Amino acid sequence: MSSEKHNATQASPSQPQPSNTIDDDVIHATNEFQKGNHSEALNLAEAILLRHPNSAVAHGFRCFCHMKIVLSVRNNSSDAPLSLAETLEHVKISVESSKRAVELCPDSLYFRSYHVNALFDLADYDNANDGFEPVIEACDAALAIEDPILMEGTIFKNEERARESQIQELRTIIGAFKLISKSIIDATYMKNIKNEIQEVQDRKDEIEQSAIMARKNVERKLKNPNKDTVETRVKAYWNNTMSTELKKDLLRIRIEDLKLHFAKNESPAAVAVAEEVMQAVEYVKVSQNWKFLTCCCCGERILDMEGFAEHMKHVHLRTLSNELRILVEPEIVIDLVETFESRVWKPVDVVAAKKMMEYLSRNKHGDEGLHESKFFVNQKVWPFCKNSRRGAVIDKIQARLHVFLKIRCFAWNHFRAFMYLIIQMLEKHIPEQLLKEHRMDQTLLSVCLLDTSELSFVFEFLDELDNTCGLQRIYKSVDKDVVRGEPCDANLEKIVFDEDFSCIVFDKRRLRGELVATNDGAAVTSSADEEIELNDNECKDAFVDWLLEGSTNIGEQLKQWTSLRETSISQGKEFFKIYEAELERIQNICEIKVQYLRDLNVCENLDSICVEEEKRREDSGYKSVSYEYLLSERQRQIERTNGDIFELAVVWIILRGNHEDNKIKSGIKKLIYEIVIKLYKFDAIMRTTTIAMEQTGEKIVKIAADNHRLVMVPLLKSFMRARLEELANEDAEEKSKAAREASLSELDPDDKKKTNKEGGDARQGHEKSKVKKKKKGKRKPKELKKHNATQASPSQPQPSNTIDDEVAHTINEFQKGNHSEALNLAEAIILRHPNSAVAHGYRCFCHMKIVLSVRNNSSVAHLSLAETLEHVKISVESSKRAVELCPDSLYFRSYHVNALFDLADYDSANAGFEPVIEACDAALAMEDPILIEGFLENEERSRESQIQELRTIFRVFKMHSKHIIDAKYMENIKNEIQEVQDRKDEIEQSAIVARKNFEMCSRKLKNPKKDTMETRVKAYWNNTMGMELKKDLLRIRIEDLKLHFAKNKSPAAVAMAEEVMQAVEYVKVSQNWKFSTCCLCDVRIFNMEWFAEHMKRVHLRTLSYELRLLEPEIVIDLLNTTESREWKPVDVVAAKKMMEDLSRNKHEGEGLHESKFFVNQKDWPYCQNSWRGAVIDKIRASLHVFLKIRCLVLNHFRGFMYLIMQALKKRIPEQLLKEHCMNQTPLSVCLLDISELYRVLEFLDDLDNTCGLQRIYKSVNKDVVRSELCDAYHEKIVFNEDFSCVVFDKRMLRGELVVTNDGAAVTSSADAEIELNDDECKDAFVNWLLKGSADIGEQLKLWTSLRETSISQGKEFFKIYEAEFERIQNICEKKAQYLRDLNVLQNLESICVKEDKRREDSGYKPVSYEYLLSEQRRQIERTNGDILESDIIWNIFKETHVDNKIKLAIKKQIHNIILRLYKFDAIIKTTTIAMEQTGTKIVTIAAYDHRLIMVPLLKSFMLARLEELANEDAEEV
């Protein structure tokens, strides 16, 4: 029905004359509508509106009519079917009319409800419009009316019902619309959130990539234009004249000399550089480190990464409130993993299983129930059956569950839902009571009893949960983080300050050519440098070459440094914006989850009303009540008490159209189920978003890292270079002067003057006769000379009017093989059309074709690598210009991508594959690309198909580039692990040295008064002082100690008093002298275990349970095999015969008994073969290392056994090997021949070399920072019971200075039992008391220095931990991507395998693999499926279209991915071990003991007290 009829103003014949009241008109029109005369009623509605244009009733009735027509269409009850456009027209009219009615009568709930209904229809039928948000706004506005009206008269009033009940019902309906709209909005939001996560993570990758490029640009060496002119002279001086001491002195640059050097140059750049140098010096004095971080938000510079992270956290980065944070962490199931490790996952015969349960249940004793040993779930052998389809789905479910559980991503609510699905389906076959009796409702293995369709349903549940939250993209991003640790330490030379910061010193090893020295970023490490000894002959030219590299232009150097810092701040701001967006996302999800938890609570309350009624019905005398009545009563109760409008809306939705008990109950159950499913998804989304937020926060911190050495090293080099040139010039002048004097001394005295003049003239003439040689330019390749020629060849036509004709002619020449001629023509076209994208594109095309012919060895003229590279560079230049001129062309973008790929391939030293990926992303981001009409377009194919293929090409180039980048990353990761472990060893060694230095310095501090007081004090001690006084000397009251320090009003004394009181208060609580200090937040903790827990919970990040999903499963039960069994070569023929003999003993249907397995026989048929034995020993040793540090994972073991079984199958049937469990033991390797053994050893060596296994193994076994470093030599001191006194052990008075040291704080009872005589007090105690300094300032300085050093070392370990954490996240992300690729390839392989099985049927007409994969690709394109699968198929077809080759290509790709996954697993395991080791070192290095400072302080107090007593005694005498 057209809207023109609806809007007609002409009355129909049956239409009455306008009446006096609008009510009569509306009643008449309503009657017509109810008779089915919809068109007539619409005409009447339009007529009423014409007569009453400002009547809310008129507009409301018009809306009512159009809504009724829409409702009839929705319910398929319309007499005349309407198109979507016609229906939408009715919807829009109803929206317009209802809106006007609300404007005219805003307090009417009827008109408000019409408007809500109409807006809902509009959002439903026209989802491209505003959506359901206007519906919610309209609902909120209606529900906010405090004193609504209904609208008197006509259809808008139900006279049979009270006004209040009508208002309440309308509010309930409006609330229901709001509820349904919010549900739809949330569903849409959840569908789109995966794309949102994808876009944000892509943006992170872009910023990260630009950060790397910016860093690389700074590290590139600027050229020194004067290098050639000074190199010869300087090297001659360096090698022949310059002394070793002068060379060493060259490495030592005084700060004042550096300032003077820059002061000579009065340019603004020099002034700025001088300021930068002094700023760096002052900074490093404070921070003891070259590194610093700059806040991108407020510009503040912060000394260390931990402090910066804390600054960002407390000042800029918002975090979730405590209320919302509770919602982010779903409870995790942690006790189900054993199911995967110990049980078999195979299809179970459900009928036989039921019988077995019933049989086992007969053994229960009365009320005691069934014994645990009789539970079906605990039986080792279940009634398995063969069913490949069920087995395949069970394998998929097991694999997916294994992933969830491995990273602790399976929450209790997920587990309950999973088991609910299984039990609901199993109840059809086995009674629920029987299932529960045998604990089948508590084990995941229950899934093995389901049939194929039920299994598929369970797998869909897991798969949907996995795919909701963008998990794969988060994996990819986190695992691929390339801004690691501190990116500014990549290629920085090691420079240090001397002790007073007056000089900067380079490492002496540079002089002997060791340009790469250990680089820890420390600012003061000159002590280690002093120990390096150099001989005269050790100084190499390599140092001079290094010195002459780079620019002398200090302005350029400063400009690069400033640009890098500005870029880092800009990129930090970008990450900050992303963090804010992610926080908004997680807050949004948390708020939505709160609403759904409330919804769930309401639905469960309604369900409980029905459940309670069911229980009451079990009573035979009870008169049952319907659920409808109960819910209506609940509805009325809410209305009476002005209760939750939401609950009213839920009841209304349930009762609408449902009046039967069963339907009402199922309606409630359905609502609960839908809400629970959404809650599962919210938990998943919150976890991935939390990971993304943490990642962004880390990137903000990492990208802010800078290092003053980036600018200092080039500046210092320019100073040293100038100094070396100056010394070389001075030496040359001295030698020239000496030569002149020597020649004059040989002449007669009378002729000196004359000869001197002549000699001078001759030398002057000789110098004037010198002539400079001219440099010859480099020759270009022959062919390129022709290409660049501007002179047209004889065959070249005159320029035509259009470029198309010129290009067509050039193409003909190229196709004839006249490549040089075609290149000349292409250059001529460029000259005539310099701003033509087609001209530049064709030039690129020609050069790319030549490169392709070289790559395929089909080039007519052989080109060198340099000539080929020249062609590549021209193609890059031309394609780039073509894209600039025509940025929307996919053809030109494809040329540019191809050219960049060639450049990265041929010039890997200067170009990488990252620009290829960037170019691909830019091309794929184009929304409405063009092709370019003319010669570049394939007219035989549609525009859409060409665009689709070009986009596929971009994605394949991107995929190949990523694989190459990943391969390079894998090659370098071993070196990264090596460097990190070396750095750990350095920090560890420095920790031990620092502790020893403290103890040595404490002992070596001298007491300047010792000589003057020793005689007097000893005389008093030996001759006058009583035993009680001596004992009392060992008992120091805390108050006396405080007074002692109060007398000395120096800052050191005040600080020391505070330190003493802090120690006393601490020991009161902890009952121990020992404590640990956090290097990150400075908190003190009583014991090491609590400190470890503090670090774990507050500072040390751990992999999220999503990422732990990708952690490989460890093989833990094979170590005994490598240690207890013999590993010798086995005679394979004799072994086969022995297996066959053992197999003859098996009983029909029961299989072979375990005792008859060949693998369990103690005596194997060994043979003598030294070559095989040597390789077997190597394999065993390698396996032992893997197993010893728990680095052999299940995938490695499977790969290892696969190699062995593939080789053994050639000589022993596979079935026989499996029957004897030879596919489950690494000892099978002993049956291989020498070449096969080498292949197995190569497999293990490859894994070993990839993951740095040996270095990790060596480091773990060689840990030098053990348990507690702080108990080296402390004297025993204790507190008394009320902690008012500190007491030394009495045995010290008789010279026993070294006593048992247990670290306890309260042990005075043992000391009280020690008896001493007067003659037992020795001078040794007085000597001990006089030893050391009485200067409390020196003692405090030592103590403070030790603690600061330990904190600094702890921070270094923390940085290492963070870098290792980034590495493991990076690898997990890459693994997730390759697992996805593997899944796609295995699906393609299964298509071919299924076709192979069909071909076994003689009546089947075979179909080619090419056709099947093409059909799969077309299906993906039709359904917007996985684009990756489509691209992989396209890539396979680029290689071949032959069946056998297609299958081989797929297998080859699967094999390559599996090998890479093996390596990822190895790296993940070694990095996990390294992280655990680093965490332990952080805890160990934080340990201290208050006695280290308390003993020297107490000694100074006792000495002062003893001296005071001796002086008093002397005065009395």
Short mmCIF file of all heavy atoms in Angstrom, two decimals, residues 1381-1393 1409-1410 1413 1432-1433 1435-1437 1439-1440 1442-1458:
data_model
loop_
_atom_site.label_atom_id
_atom_site.label_comp_id
_atom_site.label_asym_id
_atom_site.label_seq_id
_atom_site.Cartn_x
_atom_site.Cartn_y
_atom_site.Cartn_z
N ASP A 1381 47.25 -20.04 11.63
CA ASP A 1381 47.67 -20.45 10.28
C ASP A 1381 47.64 -21.97 10.15
O ASP A 1381 47.20 -22.51 9.13
CB ASP A 1381 49.09 -19.95 9.99
CG ASP A 1381 49.18 -18.44 9.98
OD1 ASP A 1381 48.12 -17.79 10.02
OD2 ASP A 1381 50.30 -17.91 9.94
N LEU A 1382 48.12 -22.66 11.19
CA LEU A 1382 48.15 -24.12 11.16
C LEU A 1382 46.74 -24.69 11.06
O LEU A 1382 46.49 -25.64 10.30
CB LEU A 1382 48.85 -24.63 12.43
CG LEU A 1382 48.97 -26.15 12.57
CD1 LEU A 1382 49.82 -26.74 11.46
CD2 LEU A 1382 49.57 -26.52 13.94
N ASN A 1383 45.83 -24.12 11.81
CA ASN A 1383 44.45 -24.59 11.78
C ASN A 1383 43.85 -24.45 10.39
O ASN A 1383 43.17 -25.35 9.89
CB ASN A 1383 43.62 -23.79 12.80
CG ASN A 1383 42.19 -24.30 12.89
OD1 ASN A 1383 41.94 -25.49 13.08
ND2 ASN A 1383 41.24 -23.40 12.76
N VAL A 1384 44.13 -23.32 9.73
CA VAL A 1384 43.63 -23.11 8.36
C VAL A 1384 44.20 -24.15 7.41
O VAL A 1384 43.47 -24.77 6.63
CB VAL A 1384 44.00 -21.68 7.88
CG1 VAL A 1384 43.74 -21.54 6.38
CG2 VAL A 1384 43.19 -20.65 8.65
N LEU A 1385 45.50 -24.38 7.48
CA LEU A 1385 46.14 -25.34 6.58
C LEU A 1385 45.66 -26.77 6.84
O LEU A 1385 45.47 -27.55 5.90
CB LEU A 1385 47.66 -25.27 6.74
CG LEU A 1385 48.31 -24.02 6.13
CD1 LEU A 1385 49.70 -23.81 6.68
CD2 LEU A 1385 48.35 -24.12 4.61
N GLN A 1386 45.47 -27.11 8.09
CA GLN A 1386 44.96 -28.45 8.40
C GLN A 1386 43.53 -28.63 7.90
O GLN A 1386 43.16 -29.73 7.46
CB GLN A 1386 45.04 -28.69 9.90
CG GLN A 1386 46.47 -28.90 10.39
CD GLN A 1386 46.59 -28.99 11.90
OE1 GLN A 1386 45.73 -28.49 12.63
NE2 GLN A 1386 47.65 -29.60 12.39
N ASN A 1387 42.74 -27.56 7.92
CA ASN A 1387 41.40 -27.64 7.34
C ASN A 1387 41.47 -27.89 5.84
O ASN A 1387 40.69 -28.68 5.29
CB ASN A 1387 40.63 -26.34 7.62
CG ASN A 1387 40.21 -26.22 9.06
OD1 ASN A 1387 40.19 -27.22 9.78
ND2 ASN A 1387 39.91 -25.02 9.51
N LEU A 1388 42.40 -27.21 5.17
CA LEU A 1388 42.56 -27.41 3.72
C LEU A 1388 43.04 -28.83 3.43
O LEU A 1388 42.60 -29.48 2.48
CB LEU A 1388 43.55 -26.39 3.16
CG LEU A 1388 43.15 -24.91 3.27
CD1 LEU A 1388 44.23 -24.03 2.67
CD2 LEU A 1388 41.82 -24.65 2.58
N GLU A 1389 43.95 -29.32 4.26
CA GLU A 1389 44.44 -30.69 4.08
C GLU A 1389 43.30 -31.69 4.27
O GLU A 1389 43.21 -32.68 3.52
CB GLU A 1389 45.56 -30.96 5.08
CG GLU A 1389 46.22 -32.33 4.86
CD GLU A 1389 47.28 -32.64 5.90
OE1 GLU A 1389 47.10 -32.25 7.07
OE2 GLU A 1389 48.29 -33.26 5.53
N SER A 1390 42.41 -31.42 5.24
CA SER A 1390 41.30 -32.35 5.48
C SER A 1390 40.37 -32.40 4.27
O SER A 1390 39.76 -33.44 3.99
CB SER A 1390 40.54 -31.93 6.73
OG SER A 1390 39.82 -30.73 6.51
N ILE A 1391 40.23 -31.29 3.55
CA ILE A 1391 39.41 -31.29 2.32
C ILE A 1391 39.99 -32.26 1.31
O ILE A 1391 39.27 -33.05 0.68
CB ILE A 1391 39.33 -29.86 1.74
CG1 ILE A 1391 38.50 -28.97 2.67
CG2 ILE A 1391 38.73 -29.87 0.34
CD1 ILE A 1391 38.51 -27.49 2.28
N CYS A 1392 41.32 -32.22 1.16
CA CYS A 1392 41.99 -33.13 0.22
C CYS A 1392 41.90 -34.58 0.70
O CYS A 1392 41.70 -35.50 -0.10
CB CYS A 1392 43.45 -32.72 0.04
SG CYS A 1392 43.67 -31.06 -0.60
N VAL A 1393 42.05 -34.79 2.00
CA VAL A 1393 41.99 -36.15 2.55
C VAL A 1393 40.61 -36.75 2.34
O VAL A 1393 40.46 -37.93 1.98
CB VAL A 1393 42.36 -36.13 4.05
CG1 VAL A 1393 42.07 -37.47 4.70
CG2 VAL A 1393 43.84 -35.79 4.22
N TYR A 1409 41.65 -31.33 -6.59
CA TYR A 1409 41.86 -30.52 -5.39
C TYR A 1409 41.69 -29.03 -5.71
O TYR A 1409 41.18 -28.26 -4.89
CB TYR A 1409 43.26 -30.73 -4.82
CG TYR A 1409 43.55 -32.14 -4.35
CD1 TYR A 1409 44.86 -32.64 -4.33
CD2 TYR A 1409 42.53 -32.97 -3.91
CE1 TYR A 1409 45.14 -33.91 -3.89
CE2 TYR A 1409 42.80 -34.25 -3.46
CZ TYR A 1409 44.10 -34.72 -3.47
OH TYR A 1409 44.37 -35.98 -3.04
N GLU A 1410 42.14 -28.64 -6.92
CA GLU A 1410 42.02 -27.24 -7.31
C GLU A 1410 40.57 -26.78 -7.27
O GLU A 1410 40.24 -25.72 -6.74
CB GLU A 1410 42.60 -27.03 -8.71
CG GLU A 1410 42.51 -25.58 -9.17
CD GLU A 1410 42.96 -25.39 -10.61
OE1 GLU A 1410 43.13 -26.41 -11.32
OE2 GLU A 1410 43.10 -24.24 -11.03
N LEU A 1413 39.33 -26.58 -3.53
CA LEU A 1413 39.84 -25.43 -2.80
C LEU A 1413 39.28 -24.12 -3.37
O LEU A 1413 39.05 -23.16 -2.63
CB LEU A 1413 41.37 -25.41 -2.83
CG LEU A 1413 42.06 -26.60 -2.14
CD1 LEU A 1413 43.56 -26.37 -2.08
CD2 LEU A 1413 41.52 -26.83 -0.74
N ILE A 1432 45.56 -18.00 1.78
CA ILE A 1432 46.46 -19.16 1.74
C ILE A 1432 46.16 -20.01 0.52
O ILE A 1432 47.07 -20.51 -0.15
CB ILE A 1432 46.34 -19.97 3.04
CG1 ILE A 1432 47.00 -19.20 4.21
CG2 ILE A 1432 46.97 -21.35 2.91
CD1 ILE A 1432 46.84 -19.84 5.56
N ILE A 1433 44.88 -20.18 0.21
CA ILE A 1433 44.50 -20.94 -1.00
C ILE A 1433 45.05 -20.25 -2.24
O ILE A 1433 45.62 -20.89 -3.13
CB ILE A 1433 42.97 -21.08 -1.09
CG1 ILE A 1433 42.45 -21.94 0.07
CG2 ILE A 1433 42.56 -21.71 -2.42
CD1 ILE A 1433 40.94 -21.96 0.20
N ASN A 1435 47.60 -18.33 -2.47
CA ASN A 1435 49.06 -18.47 -2.48
C ASN A 1435 49.48 -19.86 -2.95
O ASN A 1435 50.47 -20.01 -3.67
CB ASN A 1435 49.59 -18.21 -1.07
CG ASN A 1435 51.08 -17.96 -1.05
OD1 ASN A 1435 51.64 -17.39 -1.98
ND2 ASN A 1435 51.73 -18.41 0.00
N ILE A 1436 48.70 -20.88 -2.58
CA ILE A 1436 49.00 -22.25 -3.03
C ILE A 1436 48.82 -22.34 -4.54
O ILE A 1436 49.65 -22.93 -5.25
CB ILE A 1436 48.09 -23.25 -2.30
CG1 ILE A 1436 48.48 -23.35 -0.81
CG2 ILE A 1436 48.17 -24.63 -2.95
CD1 ILE A 1436 47.48 -24.08 0.04
N PHE A 1437 47.77 -21.74 -5.06
CA PHE A 1437 47.51 -21.78 -6.51
C PHE A 1437 48.56 -21.01 -7.29
O PHE A 1437 48.77 -21.29 -8.47
CB PHE A 1437 46.12 -21.20 -6.81
CG PHE A 1437 44.99 -22.13 -6.42
CD1 PHE A 1437 43.69 -21.67 -6.35
CD2 PHE A 1437 45.23 -23.47 -6.14
CE1 PHE A 1437 42.64 -22.51 -6.00
CE2 PHE A 1437 44.19 -24.33 -5.79
CZ PHE A 1437 42.90 -23.85 -5.72
N GLU A 1439 51.61 -21.25 -6.78
CA GLU A 1439 52.71 -22.20 -6.94
C GLU A 1439 52.36 -23.29 -7.96
O GLU A 1439 53.18 -23.66 -8.79
CB GLU A 1439 53.05 -22.85 -5.60
CG GLU A 1439 53.65 -21.89 -4.58
CD GLU A 1439 54.02 -22.61 -3.29
OE1 GLU A 1439 54.30 -23.82 -3.35
OE2 GLU A 1439 54.02 -21.96 -2.23
N THR A 1440 51.15 -23.84 -7.85
CA THR A 1440 50.82 -25.00 -8.69
C THR A 1440 49.30 -25.19 -8.75
O THR A 1440 48.56 -24.68 -7.91
CB THR A 1440 51.46 -26.28 -8.11
OG1 THR A 1440 51.17 -27.37 -8.98
CG2 THR A 1440 50.92 -26.58 -6.72
N VAL A 1442 48.44 -28.56 -9.88
CA VAL A 1442 48.46 -30.02 -10.02
C VAL A 1442 48.12 -30.65 -8.66
O VAL A 1442 48.61 -30.19 -7.62
CB VAL A 1442 49.86 -30.50 -10.49
CG1 VAL A 1442 49.88 -32.02 -10.64
CG2 VAL A 1442 50.23 -29.83 -11.80
N ASP A 1443 47.27 -31.72 -8.69
CA ASP A 1443 46.78 -32.32 -7.45
C ASP A 1443 47.90 -32.68 -6.47
O ASP A 1443 47.89 -32.27 -5.31
CB ASP A 1443 45.96 -33.58 -7.78
CG ASP A 1443 44.47 -33.24 -7.86
OD1 ASP A 1443 44.16 -32.03 -8.01
OD2 ASP A 1443 43.65 -34.16 -7.77
N ASN A 1444 48.85 -33.48 -6.94
CA ASN A 1444 49.92 -33.95 -6.03
C ASN A 1444 50.73 -32.79 -5.47
O ASN A 1444 51.11 -32.77 -4.29
CB ASN A 1444 50.85 -34.92 -6.77
CG ASN A 1444 50.16 -36.24 -7.04
OD1 ASN A 1444 49.18 -36.58 -6.39
ND2 ASN A 1444 50.66 -36.98 -8.01
N LYS A 1445 50.99 -31.80 -6.32
CA LYS A 1445 51.79 -30.66 -5.87
C LYS A 1445 51.02 -29.78 -4.89
O LYS A 1445 51.61 -29.19 -3.98
CB LYS A 1445 52.28 -29.85 -7.07
CG LYS A 1445 53.31 -30.58 -7.90
CD LYS A 1445 53.86 -29.71 -9.02
CE LYS A 1445 54.93 -30.45 -9.83
NZ LYS A 1445 55.46 -29.62 -10.92
N ILE A 1446 49.70 -29.67 -5.09
CA ILE A 1446 48.88 -28.90 -4.15
C ILE A 1446 48.96 -29.53 -2.76
O ILE A 1446 49.18 -28.85 -1.75
CB ILE A 1446 47.41 -28.83 -4.64
CG1 ILE A 1446 47.29 -27.88 -5.82
CG2 ILE A 1446 46.47 -28.40 -3.50
CD1 ILE A 1446 45.93 -27.85 -6.46
N LYS A 1447 48.79 -30.85 -2.74
CA LYS A 1447 48.83 -31.55 -1.45
C LYS A 1447 50.21 -31.42 -0.80
O LYS A 1447 50.33 -31.21 0.41
CB LYS A 1447 48.47 -33.02 -1.66
CG LYS A 1447 48.01 -33.73 -0.40
CD LYS A 1447 47.45 -35.09 -0.70
CE LYS A 1447 46.98 -35.80 0.56
NZ LYS A 1447 46.47 -37.15 0.28
N LEU A 1448 51.27 -31.52 -1.61
CA LEU A 1448 52.63 -31.39 -1.08
C LEU A 1448 52.88 -29.98 -0.56
O LEU A 1448 53.55 -29.79 0.46
CB LEU A 1448 53.64 -31.74 -2.18
CG LEU A 1448 53.80 -33.22 -2.49
CD1 LEU A 1448 54.71 -33.41 -3.70
CD2 LEU A 1448 54.38 -33.98 -1.29
N ALA A 1449 52.34 -28.98 -1.28
CA ALA A 1449 52.53 -27.59 -0.85
C ALA A 1449 51.88 -27.36 0.51
O ALA A 1449 52.44 -26.68 1.39
CB ALA A 1449 51.94 -26.64 -1.88
N ILE A 1450 50.69 -27.92 0.70
CA ILE A 1450 50.00 -27.77 1.99
C ILE A 1450 50.81 -28.45 3.10
O ILE A 1450 51.03 -27.90 4.18
CB ILE A 1450 48.58 -28.36 1.91
CG1 ILE A 1450 47.72 -27.55 0.94
CG2 ILE A 1450 47.93 -28.38 3.29
CD1 ILE A 1450 46.36 -28.16 0.66
N LYS A 1451 51.27 -29.69 2.82
CA LYS A 1451 52.05 -30.43 3.82
C LYS A 1451 53.34 -29.70 4.17
O LYS A 1451 53.76 -29.66 5.33
CB LYS A 1451 52.35 -31.83 3.31
CG LYS A 1451 51.14 -32.78 3.36
CD LYS A 1451 51.53 -34.19 3.04
CE LYS A 1451 50.36 -35.14 3.15
NZ LYS A 1451 49.88 -35.23 4.56
N LYS A 1452 53.96 -29.11 3.15
CA LYS A 1452 55.21 -28.38 3.40
C LYS A 1452 54.99 -27.19 4.32
O LYS A 1452 55.74 -26.95 5.26
CB LYS A 1452 55.79 -27.90 2.06
CG LYS A 1452 57.10 -27.15 2.20
CD LYS A 1452 57.59 -26.65 0.85
CE LYS A 1452 58.86 -25.81 1.01
NZ LYS A 1452 59.30 -25.25 -0.28
N GLN A 1453 53.90 -26.44 4.06
CA GLN A 1453 53.59 -25.29 4.91
C GLN A 1453 53.26 -25.72 6.33
O GLN A 1453 53.66 -25.09 7.31
CB GLN A 1453 52.45 -24.49 4.30
CG GLN A 1453 52.84 -23.73 3.04
CD GLN A 1453 51.80 -22.72 2.62
OE1 GLN A 1453 51.22 -22.03 3.44
NE2 GLN A 1453 51.55 -22.63 1.33
N ILE A 1454 52.51 -26.82 6.46
CA ILE A 1454 52.18 -27.35 7.80
C ILE A 1454 53.46 -27.73 8.54
O ILE A 1454 53.63 -27.42 9.72
CB ILE A 1454 51.23 -28.55 7.69
CG1 ILE A 1454 49.83 -28.09 7.25
CG2 ILE A 1454 51.13 -29.32 9.01
CD1 ILE A 1454 48.87 -29.22 6.97
N HIS A 1455 54.35 -28.42 7.82
CA HIS A 1455 55.63 -28.84 8.43
C HIS A 1455 56.43 -27.64 8.91
O HIS A 1455 56.96 -27.64 10.04
CB HIS A 1455 56.43 -29.64 7.40
CG HIS A 1455 57.79 -30.03 7.88
ND1 HIS A 1455 57.99 -31.00 8.84
CD2 HIS A 1455 59.02 -29.57 7.53
CE1 HIS A 1455 59.29 -31.12 9.08
NE2 HIS A 1455 59.94 -30.27 8.29
N ASN A 1456 56.51 -26.58 8.08
CA ASN A 1456 57.28 -25.39 8.46
C ASN A 1456 56.69 -24.71 9.70
O ASN A 1456 57.43 -24.25 10.58
CB ASN A 1456 57.33 -24.41 7.29
CG ASN A 1456 58.17 -24.92 6.13
OD1 ASN A 1456 59.03 -25.78 6.32
ND2 ASN A 1456 57.92 -24.42 4.95
N ILE A 1457 55.36 -24.63 9.75
CA ILE A 1457 54.72 -23.98 10.91
C ILE A 1457 54.94 -24.80 12.17
O ILE A 1457 55.22 -24.26 13.24
CB ILE A 1457 53.20 -23.79 10.63
CG1 ILE A 1457 53.01 -22.71 9.58
CG2 ILE A 1457 52.46 -23.40 11.91
CD1 ILE A 1457 51.57 -22.51 9.16
N ILE A 1458 54.83 -26.13 12.06
CA ILE A 1458 55.02 -26.98 13.24
C ILE A 1458 56.44 -26.82 13.78
O ILE A 1458 56.66 -26.72 14.99
CB ILE A 1458 54.71 -28.45 12.90
CG1 ILE A 1458 53.19 -28.63 12.73
CG2 ILE A 1458 55.21 -29.39 13.98
CD1 ILE A 1458 52.77 -29.99 12.24
#
